[in-house]
Amino acid sequence: MALQFLGMGLVWGASFLFMKIALDGVSFGQVAWSRLVLGGLTLGIIVAVSRPRVASGPVLPREAFVWLHFLVIAVTGCVLPHLLFAWAEQYVSSGLASIYNAVTPIMTALMATLAFRVERLARVQVLGVLVGIIGVVVIIAPWQYSELTGDLWGQLACLGAAVSYGFTFGYTRRFLSGRPIAGATFAFMNIGIGGAIMLALTPVLAWTPVELTLPIVLCLVTLGALGTGLAYIWHINVLRAWGPTTTSTVTYVTPVVGVTLGVLVLAETFSWHEPTGALLVLGGILLTQRRLRTRLRRDPADIAPSGHALSSKHGRTGRIAR
């Protein structure tokens, strides 16, 4: 199980490097298209072979409204953030994109509390959200910009992807987490519907010339089949074995991997405010997930420890952003 957890952190952290390399030969739309289509195919094969069920129920849900809910989270949790991150990496470093991905638990806490009202934040968690927001402002460093540059738009796109993930996890908690759907089926429907949407958008997103090399092909296949496919099965296995609190610590691993690979492979550099803001974001996450002690009086309100991972003995599951 430890190997699967390590695999999740490495693959999801490296995904930002893979996107950066792939953009040398394909468009941002083709990057997002490839990872969702290949991820959906991979998960589809796994579900077709294993045919997972909960309490002898059907492999796939039969209610139309359940499929509509999955359509919503496929758009907000797959199509939109994948496009935003791929577009953003035309202007920002892969390491910086991975740092913004770590903002997801903060956005999840806000969405679950304010938008869907499925949770209520305690005082220490409100402090964590505020610290995380301050960290985001420090990363963006608005004092550096006198006009809207590509770099600024790229950072805002990364932030938009994190908000989209946060919305998805809140929506999932509100409408889908209580349903008896096997974990592998949940992942397949989420990614698979996202892949189907991408196929429908092929003339708009993917029907453009490409310059494929072996590294680019390997990056796209790894992003899709491994990072957007098999890694979600690892996530489900770890989630069931270790629980959401421990599994959620992968959120701390992915930006470290992303930043390290960006520096070592692409020689990316950072200004002082980016790692400083990242540390503030990490502190905000730790407070939001109640992993840091404070002098604030405890409040009976609580939030799911992971802030963004949902599970139960029946295989109900959400997803951690990547």
Side-chain angles (χ1 to χ4, degrees), residues 4-23:
Q4 294 186 41
F5 177 85
L6 181 61
M8 281 189 329
L10 291 175
V11 171
W12 286 344
S15 65
F16 299 94
L17 173 67
F18 297 149
M19 282 190 281
K20 195 73 169 179
I21 294 174
L23 285 169

Side-chain angles (χ1 to χ4, degrees), residues 91-93 96 140 144-145 148-156 274:
Y91 305 101
V92 302
S93 68
L96 185 56
I140 294 175
Q144 293 190 134
Y145 301 99
L148 292 176
T149 63
D151 174 73
L152 178 58
W153 278 115
Q155 293 191 66
L156 293 177
E274 292 162 339

Side-chain angles (χ1 to χ4, degrees), residues 121-135:
L121 295 180
R123 289 185 179 90
V124 66
Q125 293 170 310
V126 173
L127 175 62
V129 170
L130 293 176
V131 171
I133 291 174
I134 292 171

Side-chain angles (χ1 to χ4, degrees), residues 13-321:
S15 65
F16 299 94
L17 173 67
F18 297 149
M19 282 190 281
K20 195 73 169 179
I21 294 174
L23 285 169
D24 287 338
V26 300
S27 68
F28 77 92
Q30 290 166 332
V31 170
W33 185 96
S34 298
R35 66 183 303 187
L36 279 174
V37 171
L38 292 176
L41 287 173
T42 301
L43 290 169
I45 293 172
I46 292 173
V47 169
V49 172
S50 63
R51 300 190 65 77
R53 301 174 186 271
V54 174
S56 300
V59 176
L60 298 176
R62 294 170 179 170
E63 302 90 343
F65 67 89
V66 174
W67 286 81
L68 288 176
H69 286 318
F70 272 103
L71 176 62
V72 172
I73 67 171
V75 172
T76 62
C78 296
V79 175
L80 185 58
H82 286 10
L83 283 171
L84 285 172
F85 269 126
W87 182 85
E89 286 207 38
Q90 297 175 113
Y91 305 101
V92 302
S93 68
S94 63
L96 185 56
S98 71
I99 290 173
Y100 274 108
N101 185 65
V103 177
T104 298
I106 302 295
M107 297 303 172
T108 300
L110 283 173
M111 289 292 178
T113 303
L114 301 179
F116 296 101
R117 300 184 181 277
V118 294
E119 294 166 349
R120 187 165 69 91
L121 295 180
R123 289 185 179 90
V124 66
Q125 293 170 310
V126 173
L127 175 62
V129 170
L130 293 176
V131 171
I133 291 174
I134 292 171
V136 170
V137 173
V138 172
I139 294 171
I140 294 175
W143 58 84
Q144 293 190 134
Y145 301 99
S146 58
E147 57 183 11
L148 292 176
T149 63
D151 174 73
L152 178 58
W153 278 115
Q155 293 191 66
L156 293 177
C158 289
L159 187 59
V163 172
S164 187
Y165 280 139
F167 175 91
T168 300
F169 297 130
Y171 189 96
T172 301
R173 177 76 178 269
R174 177 69 176 81
F175 296 107
L176 288 171
S177 65
R179 301 192 175 280
I181 301 173
T185 301
F186 195 106
F188 165 64
M189 290 187 66
N190 195 358
I191 304 298
I193 292 175
I197 294 172
M198 286 300 197
L199 285 174
L201 294 176
T202 297
V204 178
L205 294 177
W207 208 258
T208 54
V210 298
E211 296 181 11
L212 297 179
T213 62
L214 181 59
I216 291 174
V217 172
L218 290 176
C219 285
L220 290 174
V221 171
T222 305
L223 267 174
L226 191 59
T228 315
L230 189 59
Y232 283 107
I233 302 299
W234 299 343
H235 165 55
I236 293 163
N237 293 338
V238 175
L239 191 63
R240 288 173 172 170
W242 291 358
T245 301
T246 304
T247 304
S248 71
T249 57
V250 74
T251 307
Y252 316 143
V253 177
T254 51
V256 174
V257 173
V259 169
T260 302
L261 289 177
V263 171
L264 294 179
V265 179
L266 301 177
E268 295 177 348
T269 59
F270 294 91
S271 300
W272 68 268
H273 60 88
E274 292 162 339
T276 301
L279 289 175
L280 287 171
V281 168
L282 176 59
I285 294 171
L286 293 173
L287 288 169
T288 303
Q289 297 181 347
R290 292 187 167 185
R291 296 178 184 273
L292 288 181
R293 295 177 180 271
T294 70
R295 293 183 179 273
L296 293 176
R297 182 172 63 86
R298 282 193 173 275
D299 190 298
D302 200 2
I303 188 172
S306 70
H308 54 286
L310 309 171
S311 70
S312 79
K313 63 182 179 180
H314 298 300
R316 294 171 286 193
T317 181
R319 297 191 304 119
I320 292 178

